[in-house]
PDB file of all heavy atoms in Angstrom:
ATOM      1  N   MET A   1       0.852  -1.184   0.000  1.00 98.00           N
ATOM      2  CA  MET A   1       0.000   0.000   0.000  1.00 98.00           C
ATOM      3  C   MET A   1       0.891   1.239   0.000  1.00 98.00           C
ATOM      4  O   MET A   1       1.640   1.470   0.954  1.00 98.00           O
ATOM      5  CB  MET A   1      -0.912  -0.004   1.231  1.00 98.00           C
ATOM      6  CG  MET A   1      -1.742  -1.263   1.358  1.00 98.00           C
ATOM      7  SD  MET A   1      -2.938  -1.205   2.704  1.00 98.00           S
ATOM      8  CE  MET A   1      -1.834  -1.187   4.121  1.00 98.00           C
ATOM      9  N   ASN A   2       0.811   2.004  -1.060  1.00 98.00           N
ATOM     10  CA  ASN A   2       1.615   3.212  -1.214  1.00 98.00           C
ATOM     11  C   ASN A   2       0.712   4.438  -1.249  1.00 98.00           C
ATOM     12  O   ASN A   2      -0.485   4.335  -1.517  1.00 98.00           O
ATOM     13  CB  ASN A   2       2.444   3.135  -2.487  1.00 98.00           C
ATOM     14  CG  ASN A   2       3.419   1.984  -2.488  1.00 98.00           C
ATOM     15  OD1 ASN A   2       4.000   1.632  -1.467  1.00 98.00           O
ATOM     16  ND2 ASN A   2       3.618   1.379  -3.656  1.00 98.00           N
ATOM     17  N   ASN A   3       1.324   5.585  -1.005  1.00 98.00           N
ATOM     18  CA  ASN A   3       0.580   6.853  -1.040  1.00 98.00           C
ATOM     19  C   ASN A   3      -0.714   6.748  -0.232  1.00 98.00           C
ATOM     20  O   ASN A   3      -1.791   7.099  -0.709  1.00 98.00           O
ATOM     21  CB  ASN A   3       0.279   7.253  -2.487  1.00 98.00           C
ATOM     22  CG  ASN A   3      -0.258   8.662  -2.597  1.00 98.00           C
ATOM     23  OD1 ASN A   3      -0.057   9.489  -1.711  1.00 98.00           O
ATOM     24  ND2 ASN A   3      -0.965   8.938  -3.683  1.00 98.00           N
ATOM     25  N   LEU A   4      -0.581   6.280   0.987  1.00 98.00           N
ATOM     26  CA  LEU A   4      -1.749   6.052   1.824  1.00 98.00           C
ATOM     27  C   LEU A   4      -2.445   7.361   2.171  1.00 98.00           C
ATOM     28  O   LEU A   4      -1.805   8.407   2.337  1.00 98.00           O
ATOM     29  CB  LEU A   4      -1.351   5.308   3.097  1.00 98.00           C
ATOM     30  CG  LEU A   4      -1.124   3.808   2.888  1.00 98.00           C
ATOM     31  CD1 LEU A   4      -0.264   3.216   3.989  1.00 98.00           C
ATOM     32  CD2 LEU A   4      -2.468   3.094   2.805  1.00 98.00           C
ATOM     33  N   LYS A   5      -3.756   7.268   2.279  1.00 98.00           N
ATOM     34  CA  LYS A   5      -4.591   8.422   2.581  1.00 98.00           C
ATOM     35  C   LYS A   5      -5.368   8.160   3.875  1.00 98.00           C
ATOM     36  O   LYS A   5      -5.590   7.004   4.234  1.00 98.00           O
ATOM     37  CB  LYS A   5      -5.578   8.658   1.439  1.00 98.00           C
ATOM     38  CG  LYS A   5      -4.920   8.862   0.090  1.00 98.00           C
ATOM     39  CD  LYS A   5      -5.961   9.006  -1.013  1.00 98.00           C
ATOM     40  CE  LYS A   5      -5.297   9.206  -2.364  1.00 98.00           C
ATOM     41  NZ  LYS A   5      -6.301   9.365  -3.453  1.00 98.00           N
ATOM     42  N   PRO A   6      -5.813   9.207   4.540  1.00 97.00           N
ATOM     43  CA  PRO A   6      -6.593   8.995   5.769  1.00 97.00           C
ATOM     44  C   PRO A   6      -7.802   8.093   5.546  1.00 97.00           C
ATOM     45  O   PRO A   6      -8.174   7.318   6.442  1.00 97.00           O
ATOM     46  CB  PRO A   6      -7.007  10.413   6.159  1.00 97.00           C
ATOM     47  CG  PRO A   6      -5.906  11.271   5.626  1.00 97.00           C
ATOM     48  CD  PRO A   6      -5.514  10.635   4.328  1.00 97.00           C
ATOM     49  N   GLU A   7      -8.402   8.158   4.376  1.00 96.00           N
ATOM     50  CA  GLU A   7      -9.570   7.325   4.100  1.00 96.00           C
ATOM     51  C   GLU A   7      -9.228   5.851   3.920  1.00 96.00           C
ATOM     52  O   GLU A   7     -10.134   5.015   3.783  1.00 96.00           O
ATOM     53  CB  GLU A   7     -10.333   7.848   2.869  1.00 96.00           C
ATOM     54  CG  GLU A   7      -9.482   8.055   1.651  1.00 96.00           C
ATOM     55  CD  GLU A   7      -9.025   9.501   1.486  1.00 96.00           C
ATOM     56  OE1 GLU A   7      -8.645  10.138   2.505  1.00 96.00           O
ATOM     57  OE2 GLU A   7      -9.058   9.995   0.333  1.00 96.00           O
ATOM     58  N   ASP A   8      -7.960   5.512   3.913  1.00 98.00           N
ATOM     59  CA  ASP A   8      -7.551   4.107   3.887  1.00 98.00           C
ATOM     60  C   ASP A   8      -7.557   3.493   5.292  1.00 98.00           C
ATOM     61  O   ASP A   8      -7.356   2.279   5.441  1.00 98.00           O
ATOM     62  CB  ASP A   8      -6.152   3.954   3.307  1.00 98.00           C
ATOM     63  CG  ASP A   8      -6.080   4.342   1.835  1.00 98.00           C
ATOM     64  OD1 ASP A   8      -6.997   3.969   1.082  1.00 98.00           O
ATOM     65  OD2 ASP A   8      -5.106   5.015   1.446  1.00 98.00           O
ATOM     66  N   THR A   9      -7.788   4.309   6.280  1.00 97.00           N
ATOM     67  CA  THR A   9      -7.816   3.834   7.663  1.00 97.00           C
ATOM     68  C   THR A   9      -8.928   2.818   7.866  1.00 97.00           C
ATOM     69  O   THR A   9     -10.044   2.995   7.376  1.00 97.00           O
ATOM     70  CB  THR A   9      -8.014   5.015   8.626  1.00 97.00           C
ATOM     71  OG1 THR A   9      -6.854   5.852   8.565  1.00 97.00           O
ATOM     72  CG2 THR A   9      -8.217   4.540  10.052  1.00 97.00           C
ATOM     73  N   GLY A  10      -8.615   1.758   8.580  1.00 98.00           N
ATOM     74  CA  GLY A  10      -9.612   0.741   8.882  1.00 98.00           C
ATOM     75  C   GLY A  10      -8.960  -0.550   9.319  1.00 98.00           C
ATOM     76  O   GLY A  10      -7.730  -0.634   9.427  1.00 98.00           O
ATOM     77  N   VAL A  11      -9.797  -1.536   9.557  1.00 98.00           N
ATOM     78  CA  VAL A  11      -9.315  -2.873   9.838  1.00 98.00           C
ATOM     79  C   VAL A  11      -9.293  -3.645   8.529  1.00 98.00           C
ATOM     80  O   VAL A  11     -10.311  -3.702   7.820  1.00 98.00           O
ATOM     81  CB  VAL A  11     -10.195  -3.584  10.875  1.00 98.00           C
ATOM     82  CG1 VAL A  11      -9.673  -4.995  11.129  1.00 98.00           C
ATOM     83  CG2 VAL A  11     -10.238  -2.787  12.174  1.00 98.00           C
ATOM     84  N   TYR A  12      -8.156  -4.206   8.234  1.00 98.00           N
ATOM     85  CA  TYR A  12      -7.973  -4.952   6.992  1.00 98.00           C
ATOM     86  C   TYR A  12      -8.046  -6.448   7.289  1.00 98.00           C
ATOM     87  O   TYR A  12      -7.382  -6.942   8.198  1.00 98.00           O
ATOM     88  CB  TYR A  12      -6.631  -4.588   6.356  1.00 98.00           C
ATOM     89  CG  TYR A  12      -6.664  -3.254   5.660  1.00 98.00           C
ATOM     90  CD1 TYR A  12      -6.813  -2.074   6.387  1.00 98.00           C
ATOM     91  CD2 TYR A  12      -6.559  -3.167   4.272  1.00 98.00           C
ATOM     92  CE1 TYR A  12      -6.868  -0.849   5.746  1.00 98.00           C
ATOM     93  CE2 TYR A  12      -6.610  -1.940   3.629  1.00 98.00           C
ATOM     94  CZ  TYR A  12      -6.762  -0.787   4.363  1.00 98.00           C
ATOM     95  OH  TYR A  12      -6.821   0.439   3.729  1.00 98.00           O
ATOM     96  N   TYR A  13      -8.852  -7.127   6.478  1.00 98.00           N
ATOM     97  CA  TYR A  13      -9.075  -8.553   6.664  1.00 98.00           C
ATOM     98  C   TYR A  13      -8.618  -9.323   5.435  1.00 98.00           C
ATOM     99  O   TYR A  13      -8.912  -8.909   4.296  1.00 98.00           O
ATOM    100  CB  TYR A  13     -10.555  -8.843   6.871  1.00 98.00           C
ATOM    101  CG  TYR A  13     -11.160  -8.229   8.106  1.00 98.00           C
ATOM    102  CD1 TYR A  13     -11.730  -6.957   8.070  1.00 98.00           C
ATOM    103  CD2 TYR A  13     -11.187  -8.928   9.310  1.00 98.00           C
ATOM    104  CE1 TYR A  13     -12.289  -6.394   9.191  1.00 98.00           C
ATOM    105  CE2 TYR A  13     -11.752  -8.375  10.440  1.00 98.00           C
ATOM    106  CZ  TYR A  13     -12.299  -7.106  10.378  1.00 98.00           C
ATOM    107  OH  TYR A  13     -12.860  -6.545  11.495  1.00 98.00           O
ATOM    108  N   CYS A  14      -7.970 -10.434   5.670  1.00 98.00           N
ATOM    109  CA  CYS A  14      -7.631 -11.349   4.593  1.00 98.00           C
ATOM    110  C   CYS A  14      -8.728 -12.408   4.496  1.00 98.00           C
ATOM    111  O   CYS A  14      -9.216 -12.914   5.524  1.00 98.00           O
ATOM    112  CB  CYS A  14      -6.287 -12.014   4.874  1.00 98.00           C
ATOM    113  SG  CYS A  14      -5.714 -13.138   3.583  1.00 98.00           S
ATOM    114  N   LYS A  15      -9.102 -12.725   3.280  1.00 98.00           N
ATOM    115  CA  LYS A  15     -10.149 -13.716   3.028  1.00 98.00           C
ATOM    116  C   LYS A  15      -9.610 -14.737   2.053  1.00 98.00           C
ATOM    117  O   LYS A  15      -8.989 -14.391   1.059  1.00 98.00           O
ATOM    118  CB  LYS A  15     -11.380 -13.036   2.449  1.00 98.00           C
ATOM    119  CG  LYS A  15     -12.539 -13.938   2.105  1.00 98.00           C
ATOM    120  CD  LYS A  15     -13.666 -13.105   1.501  1.00 98.00           C
ATOM    121  CE  LYS A  15     -14.839 -13.935   1.067  1.00 98.00           C
ATOM    122  NZ  LYS A  15     -15.913 -13.103   0.446  1.00 98.00           N
ATOM    123  N   ALA A  16      -9.856 -15.992   2.346  1.00 97.00           N
ATOM    124  CA  ALA A  16      -9.386 -17.066   1.485  1.00 97.00           C
ATOM    125  C   ALA A  16     -10.556 -17.965   1.103  1.00 97.00           C
ATOM    126  O   ALA A  16     -11.405 -18.295   1.946  1.00 97.00           O
ATOM    127  CB  ALA A  16      -8.301 -17.878   2.187  1.00 97.00           C
ATOM    128  N   ASP A  17     -10.568 -18.358  -0.145  1.00 96.00           N
ATOM    129  CA  ASP A  17     -11.608 -19.228  -0.671  1.00 96.00           C
ATOM    130  C   ASP A  17     -11.041 -20.641  -0.811  1.00 96.00           C
ATOM    131  O   ASP A  17     -10.231 -20.899  -1.689  1.00 96.00           O
ATOM    132  CB  ASP A  17     -12.072 -18.697  -2.025  1.00 96.00           C
ATOM    133  CG  ASP A  17     -13.127 -19.576  -2.668  1.00 96.00           C
ATOM    134  OD1 ASP A  17     -13.635 -20.498  -2.007  1.00 96.00           O
ATOM    135  OD2 ASP A  17     -13.437 -19.338  -3.850  1.00 96.00           O
ATOM    136  N   LEU A  18     -11.505 -21.511   0.079  1.00 95.00           N
ATOM    137  CA  LEU A  18     -11.103 -22.910  -0.007  1.00 95.00           C
ATOM    138  C   LEU A  18     -12.306 -23.769  -0.381  1.00 95.00           C
ATOM    139  O   LEU A  18     -12.391 -24.938  -0.020  1.00 95.00           O
ATOM    140  CB  LEU A  18     -10.526 -23.382   1.332  1.00 95.00           C
ATOM    141  CG  LEU A  18      -9.096 -22.938   1.678  1.00 95.00           C
ATOM    142  CD1 LEU A  18      -9.044 -21.479   2.103  1.00 95.00           C
ATOM    143  CD2 LEU A  18      -8.499 -23.801   2.751  1.00 95.00           C
ATOM    144  N   GLY A  19     -13.232 -23.169  -1.103  1.00 94.00           N
ATOM    145  CA  GLY A  19     -14.538 -23.788  -1.326  1.00 94.00           C
ATOM    146  C   GLY A  19     -15.514 -23.286  -0.282  1.00 94.00           C
ATOM    147  O   GLY A  19     -16.708 -23.177  -0.525  1.00 94.00           O
ATOM    148  N   ILE A  20     -14.984 -22.973   0.850  1.00 95.00           N
ATOM    149  CA  ILE A  20     -15.661 -22.248   1.931  1.00 95.00           C
ATOM    150  C   ILE A  20     -14.770 -21.060   2.242  1.00 95.00           C
ATOM    151  O   ILE A  20     -13.546 -21.175   2.258  1.00 95.00           O
ATOM    152  CB  ILE A  20     -15.828 -23.136   3.183  1.00 95.00           C
ATOM    153  CG1 ILE A  20     -16.709 -24.344   2.854  1.00 95.00           C
ATOM    154  CG2 ILE A  20     -16.407 -22.346   4.345  1.00 95.00           C
ATOM    155  CD1 ILE A  20     -16.783 -25.359   3.977  1.00 95.00           C
ATOM    156  N   TYR A  21     -15.399 -19.920   2.529  1.00 96.00           N
ATOM    157  CA  TYR A  21     -14.589 -18.739   2.805  1.00 96.00           C
ATOM    158  C   TYR A  21     -14.089 -18.755   4.244  1.00 96.00           C
ATOM    159  O   TYR A  21     -14.814 -19.104   5.168  1.00 96.00           O
ATOM    160  CB  TYR A  21     -15.409 -17.466   2.574  1.00 96.00           C
ATOM    161  CG  TYR A  21     -15.706 -17.196   1.120  1.00 96.00           C
ATOM    162  CD1 TYR A  21     -17.006 -17.066   0.663  1.00 96.00           C
ATOM    163  CD2 TYR A  21     -14.668 -17.069   0.192  1.00 96.00           C
ATOM    164  CE1 TYR A  21     -17.283 -16.811  -0.666  1.00 96.00           C
ATOM    165  CE2 TYR A  21     -14.941 -16.826  -1.151  1.00 96.00           C
ATOM    166  CZ  TYR A  21     -16.245 -16.691  -1.571  1.00 96.00           C
ATOM    167  OH  TYR A  21     -16.504 -16.453  -2.885  1.00 96.00           O
ATOM    168  N   HIS A  22     -12.833 -18.367   4.383  1.00 97.00           N
ATOM    169  CA  HIS A  22     -12.225 -18.242   5.704  1.00 97.00           C
ATOM    170  C   HIS A  22     -11.659 -16.835   5.831  1.00 97.00           C
ATOM    171  O   HIS A  22     -11.030 -16.324   4.900  1.00 97.00           O
ATOM    172  CB  HIS A  22     -11.112 -19.268   5.886  1.00 97.00           C
ATOM    173  CG  HIS A  22     -11.598 -20.684   5.897  1.00 97.00           C
ATOM    174  ND1 HIS A  22     -11.873 -21.378   7.057  1.00 97.00           N
ATOM    175  CD2 HIS A  22     -11.866 -21.531   4.874  1.00 97.00           C
ATOM    176  CE1 HIS A  22     -12.284 -22.586   6.753  1.00 97.00           C
ATOM    177  NE2 HIS A  22     -12.300 -22.714   5.437  1.00 97.00           N
ATOM    178  N   TRP A  23     -11.851 -16.247   7.007  1.00 97.00           N
ATOM    179  CA  TRP A  23     -11.394 -14.892   7.268  1.00 97.00           C
ATOM    180  C   TRP A  23     -10.308 -14.896   8.329  1.00 97.00           C
ATOM    181  O   TRP A  23     -10.322 -15.702   9.257  1.00 97.00           O
ATOM    182  CB  TRP A  23     -12.542 -14.036   7.786  1.00 97.00           C
ATOM    183  CG  TRP A  23     -13.612 -13.735   6.798  1.00 97.00           C
ATOM    184  CD1 TRP A  23     -14.722 -14.476   6.544  1.00 97.00           C
ATOM    185  CD2 TRP A  23     -13.687 -12.594   5.934  1.00 97.00           C
ATOM    186  NE1 TRP A  23     -15.482 -13.863   5.577  1.00 97.00           N
ATOM    187  CE2 TRP A  23     -14.878 -12.709   5.182  1.00 97.00           C
ATOM    188  CE3 TRP A  23     -12.873 -11.475   5.721  1.00 97.00           C
ATOM    189  CZ2 TRP A  23     -15.276 -11.764   4.233  1.00 97.00           C
ATOM    190  CZ3 TRP A  23     -13.268 -10.529   4.788  1.00 97.00           C
ATOM    191  CH2 TRP A  23     -14.448 -10.679   4.060  1.00 97.00           C
ATOM    192  N   GLY A  24      -9.400 -13.927   8.192  1.00 97.00           N
ATOM    193  CA  GLY A  24      -8.471 -13.674   9.265  1.00 97.00           C
ATOM    194  C   GLY A  24      -9.124 -12.814  10.333  1.00 97.00           C
ATOM    195  O   GLY A  24     -10.276 -12.387  10.207  1.00 97.00           O
ATOM    196  N   GLN A  25      -8.362 -12.553  11.406  1.00 97.00           N
ATOM    197  CA  GLN A  25      -8.888 -11.788  12.535  1.00 97.00           C
ATOM    198  C   GLN A  25      -8.921 -10.288  12.248  1.00 97.00           C
ATOM    199  O   GLN A  25      -9.615  -9.539  12.940  1.00 97.00           O
ATOM    200  CB  GLN A  25      -8.036 -12.045  13.770  1.00 97.00           C
ATOM    201  CG  GLN A  25      -8.168 -13.463  14.306  1.00 97.00           C
ATOM    202  CD  GLN A  25      -9.574 -13.748  14.783  1.00 97.00           C
ATOM    203  OE1 GLN A  25     -10.147 -13.015  15.568  1.00 97.00           O
ATOM    204  NE2 GLN A  25     -10.147 -14.837  14.285  1.00 97.00           N
ATOM    205  N   GLY A  26      -8.181  -9.868  11.265  1.00 97.00           N
ATOM    206  CA  GLY A  26      -8.138  -8.449  10.936  1.00 97.00           C
ATOM    207  C   GLY A  26      -6.928  -7.768  11.547  1.00 97.00           C
ATOM    208  O   GLY A  26      -6.421  -8.177  12.598  1.00 97.00           O
ATOM    209  N   ILE A  27      -6.480  -6.719  10.878  1.00 97.00           N
ATOM    210  CA  ILE A  27      -5.316  -5.972  11.332  1.00 97.00           C
ATOM    211  C   ILE A  27      -5.569  -4.484  11.094  1.00 97.00           C
ATOM    212  O   ILE A  27      -6.100  -4.099  10.055  1.00 97.00           O
ATOM    213  CB  ILE A  27      -4.039  -6.480  10.618  1.00 97.00           C
ATOM    214  CG1 ILE A  27      -2.793  -5.951  11.285  1.00 97.00           C
ATOM    215  CG2 ILE A  27      -4.059  -6.183   9.141  1.00 97.00           C
ATOM    216  CD1 ILE A  27      -1.554  -6.706  10.864  1.00 97.00           C
ATOM    217  N   GLN A  28      -5.191  -3.668  12.071  1.00 98.00           N
ATOM    218  CA  GLN A  28      -5.491  -2.243  11.999  1.00 98.00           C
ATOM    219  C   GLN A  28      -4.474  -1.504  11.128  1.00 98.00           C
ATOM    220  O   GLN A  28      -3.256  -1.710  11.262  1.00 98.00           O
ATOM    221  CB  GLN A  28      -5.483  -1.635  13.406  1.00 98.00           C
ATOM    222  CG  GLN A  28      -5.781  -0.152  13.449  1.00 98.00           C
ATOM    223  CD  GLN A  28      -7.222   0.171  13.071  1.00 98.00           C
ATOM    224  OE1 GLN A  28      -8.158  -0.511  13.480  1.00 98.00           O
ATOM    225  NE2 GLN A  28      -7.398   1.234  12.295  1.00 98.00           N
ATOM    226  N   VAL A  29      -5.006  -0.649  10.272  1.00 98.00           N
ATOM    227  CA  VAL A  29      -4.195   0.293   9.504  1.00 98.00           C
ATOM    228  C   VAL A  29      -4.738   1.688   9.796  1.00 98.00           C
ATOM    229  O   VAL A  29      -5.922   1.946   9.624  1.00 98.00           O
ATOM    230  CB  VAL A  29      -4.262   0.005   7.993  1.00 98.00           C
ATOM    231  CG1 VAL A  29      -3.605   1.128   7.199  1.00 98.00           C
ATOM    232  CG2 VAL A  29      -3.612  -1.333   7.676  1.00 98.00           C
ATOM    233  N   THR A  30      -3.853   2.569  10.259  1.00 98.00           N
ATOM    234  CA  THR A  30      -4.253   3.933  10.587  1.00 98.00           C
ATOM    235  C   THR A  30      -3.381   4.908   9.819  1.00 98.00           C
ATOM    236  O   THR A  30      -2.155   4.829   9.879  1.00 98.00           O
ATOM    237  CB  THR A  30      -4.124   4.206  12.090  1.00 98.00           C
ATOM    238  OG1 THR A  30      -4.935   3.267  12.814  1.00 98.00           O
ATOM    239  CG2 THR A  30      -4.581   5.621  12.429  1.00 98.00           C
ATOM    240  N   VAL A  31      -4.028   5.810   9.102  1.00 98.00           N
ATOM    241  CA  VAL A  31      -3.312   6.826   8.333  1.00 98.00           C
ATOM    242  C   VAL A  31      -3.752   8.189   8.864  1.00 98.00           C
ATOM    243  O   VAL A  31      -4.903   8.589   8.698  1.00 98.00           O
ATOM    244  CB  VAL A  31      -3.603   6.715   6.829  1.00 98.00           C
ATOM    245  CG1 VAL A  31      -2.736   7.715   6.056  1.00 98.00           C
ATOM    246  CG2 VAL A  31      -3.368   5.296   6.332  1.00 98.00           C
ATOM    247  N   SER A  32      -2.842   8.873   9.509  1.00 97.00           N
ATOM    248  CA  SER A  32      -3.180  10.180  10.091  1.00 97.00           C
ATOM    249  C   SER A  32      -1.928  11.033  10.186  1.00 97.00           C
ATOM    250  O   SER A  32      -0.821  10.501  10.297  1.00 97.00           O
ATOM    251  CB  SER A  32      -3.820  10.006  11.460  1.00 97.00           C
ATOM    252  OG  SER A  32      -2.916   9.428  12.365  1.00 97.00           O
ATOM    253  N   PRO A  33      -2.101  12.371  10.152  1.00 94.00           N
ATOM    254  CA  PRO A  33      -0.939  13.276  10.221  1.00 94.00           C
ATOM    255  C   PRO A  33      -0.208  13.143  11.545  1.00 94.00           C
ATOM    256  O   PRO A  33      -0.788  12.813  12.563  1.00 94.00           O
ATOM    257  CB  PRO A  33      -1.574  14.665  10.063  1.00 94.00           C
ATOM    258  CG  PRO A  33      -2.882  14.427   9.409  1.00 94.00           C
ATOM    259  CD  PRO A  33      -3.348  13.081   9.914  1.00 94.00           C
TER     260      PRO A  33
END
């Protein structure tokens, strides 16, 4: 992720399709001055 903006702030989740979807727990990304 380059040139990050404040609106990119959030919890980011990885999702994998193994025939059934699996999610990660999420990871925080914060973009602020």
Side-chain angles (χ1 to χ4, degrees):
M1 305 186 293
N2 298 324
N3 190 22
L4 282 159
K5 303 176 180 181
E7 52 263 42
D8 294 318
T9 294
V11 179
Y12 283 67
Y13 297 90
C14 182
K15 179 182 177 182
D17 178 9
L18 283 75
I20 298 173
Y21 289 123
H22 294 264
W23 291 89
Q25 291 296 308
I27 193 165
Q28 180 68 42
V29 171
T30 302
V31 185
S32 64

